[in-house]
Amino acid sequence: ALCFLCSHPNIILRAVTINPGSLAQIGVIRHILHRLNKSNIPIGARNPDSTSDAVSEFHYQFLGMIQPDKPDDSADNLIATTINLYPDVVLLTGAPLHNLRLLLKNYPDITIKRWVGQGGFAGDSVVPPEFRLPKFDGIETCLTFNFN
């Protein structure tokens, strides 16, 4: 999604926030932005101290070993700053909504003109058996935590 957004001619990416926002995740996102000539885009994190192993091996196989990095700001503050600078900005979420939750909690008067939320689940009829996570094997539908 990030590569698509950065390369689409009609999209101006203003900021990226990450959940939880571990230093490893920030390093990967900053590396991708750099490779796409978008190094000026700020990165926010909900919890840069997270010890969650939130970067899959796929990313390192695809991109090589990437150094962890620090965020430019907290996720909620970066979203608020971006909305204040660009009032017509579209907020796109594609992960559990902790960053949005903190934005609304810490900036209760903020106005989001448009929010697009990605969510969903690909069940057994879509995901081949060799690619299924064991916890989802045999399941056709499942609640998504993006919107729960």
Side-chain angles (χ1 to χ4, degrees):
L2 180 62
C3 292
F4 171 79
L5 294 170
C6 284
S7 62
H8 195 286
N10 295 328
I11 294 174
I12 301 170
L13 190 64
R14 299 293 186 188
V16 174
T17 64
I18 308 168
N19 179 64
S22 69
L23 299 180
Q25 285 177 300
I26 296 162
V28 167
I29 296 301
R30 199 170 303 281
H31 179 81
I32 291 170
L33 290 172
H34 176 75
R35 288 185 67 172
L36 295 170
N37 297 316
K38 303 287 184 178
S39 297
N40 60 324
I41 296 173
I43 299 172
R46 179 178 62 85
N47 180 10
D49 296 326
S50 172
T51 58
S52 172
D53 185 17
V55 176
S56 72
E57 189 59 34
F58 161 82
H59 292 93
Y60 295 126
Q61 290 172 357
F62 177 64
L63 299 167
M65 291 310 297
I66 298 167
Q67 291 298 312
D69 206 348
K70 295 181 180 179
D72 299 304
D73 204 343
S74 67
D76 59 315
N77 193 57
L78 181 56
I79 297 169
T81 300
T82 303
I83 290 172
N84 287 328
L85 287 171
Y86 309 99
D88 291 329
V89 72
V90 175
L91 178 62
L92 170 66
T93 57
L97 302 174
H98 297 296
N99 295 342
L100 179 55
R101 172 184 55 85
L102 290 171
L103 171 74
L104 297 174
K105 176 184 174 193
N106 295 329
Y107 300 89
D109 295 328
I110 196 131
T111 299
I112 302 168
K113 280 191 110 170
R114 180 176 291 172
W115 167 46
V116 176
Q118 176 275 327
F121 173 79
D124 280 0
S125 63
V126 177
V127 181
E130 64 271 19
F131 296 119
R132 292 180 194 149
L133 294 175
K135 67 181 179 179
F136 296 127
D137 193 29
I139 298 175
E140 188 59 39
T141 61
C142 180
L143 294 175
T144 173
F145 288 96
N146 289 6
F147 295 105
N148 284 355

